[in-house]
Amino acid sequence: MIIPDEAGNTASFAWVIFAILQKVDEPMETLLGSCLCQSVKYEITGEIQGFFLCHCSRCRKVTGSAHASNIFAKVSALNWLSGEGKISRIQVPETRFAKSFCSQCSSALPNPRPHGFVLIPAGSLDSKLTIKPQAHIFCESRAEWDESLESLPQFAGLPS
């Protein structure tokens, strides 16, 4: 099956699923996460199936950033601890693109996807994540200003 991205580029959905199924070799653990206002809380118990930085224009638009940091796990690993009724979801018409978010603070939240996976925004985790992303994906859609940024000055907080 071939799936076009927002620019008309195609990628084999089978390849994407294959890549996701390549386990990250992380032992079973429980990761806790929540939204910014703490109205919605969840846990992920089990193995992480994949961790990718997505540069497609939709992920950039929905995060307001250079990329989305997406973790994949089996949907059976997701357990909502509180606030499940406060979760809203948007679906871009005629696409597979969707986002789940808190209806109070708009923070991104885990989004169950077809084929039995859940997409977890890495920034929504409260637990320390011990793995690093496996790859950058949809780099042809990467923002033109998102190159060689490691050389920029770094500050622990706001610069004075």
Side-chain angles (χ1 to χ4, degrees):
M1 177 182 297
I2 303 297
I3 300 172
D5 67 11
E6 69 284 351
N9 300 317
T10 58
S12 164
F13 189 65
W15 180 87
V16 173
I17 294 299
F18 174 78
I20 291 169
L21 288 172
Q22 301 307 302
K23 292 184 180 158
V24 181
D25 218 14
E26 184 69 10
M28 297 238 328
E29 63 179 310
T30 297
L31 298 171
L32 299 175
S34 63
C35 64
L36 182 63
C37 72
Q38 299 293 305
S39 293
V40 181
K41 295 183 180 183
Y42 68 90
E43 67 181 2
I44 301 292
T45 304
E47 295 175 294
I48 292 172
Q49 303 293 310
F51 187 4
F52 300 100
L53 304 179
C54 183
H55 294 270
C56 80
S57 64
R58 290 185 182 130
C59 280
R60 289 188 294 113
K61 184 69 77 173
V62 80
T63 63
S65 187
H67 58 77
S69 302
N70 296 327
I71 296 169
F72 291 85
K74 292 181 180 176
V75 75
S76 60
L78 173 63
N79 181 36
W80 297 107
L81 301 175
S82 64
E84 189 173 1
K86 294 181 181 179
I87 299 170
S88 292
R89 188 171 189 268
I90 60 164
Q91 173 83 42
V92 177
E94 300 179 23
T95 73
R96 295 175 188 262
F97 191 86
K99 176 186 178 185
S100 294
F101 59 97
C102 173
S103 61
Q104 286 190 227
C105 68
S106 299
S107 295
L109 291 167
N111 187 18
R113 305 299 303 143
H115 308 292
F117 288 97
V118 60
L119 182 152
I120 304 147
S124 71
L125 290 173
D126 298 321
S127 298
K128 183 177 180 177
L129 195 56
T130 58
I131 61 167
K132 295 193 186 259
Q134 295 166 276
H136 291 267
I137 59 175
F138 291 101
C139 291
E140 286 185 7
S141 300
R142 188 178 211 150
E144 63 281 352
W145 50 265
D146 182 25
E147 300 269 345
S148 306
L149 301 178
E150 297 79 23
S151 62
L152 291 175
Q154 297 184 24
F155 302 92
L158 284 175
S160 48

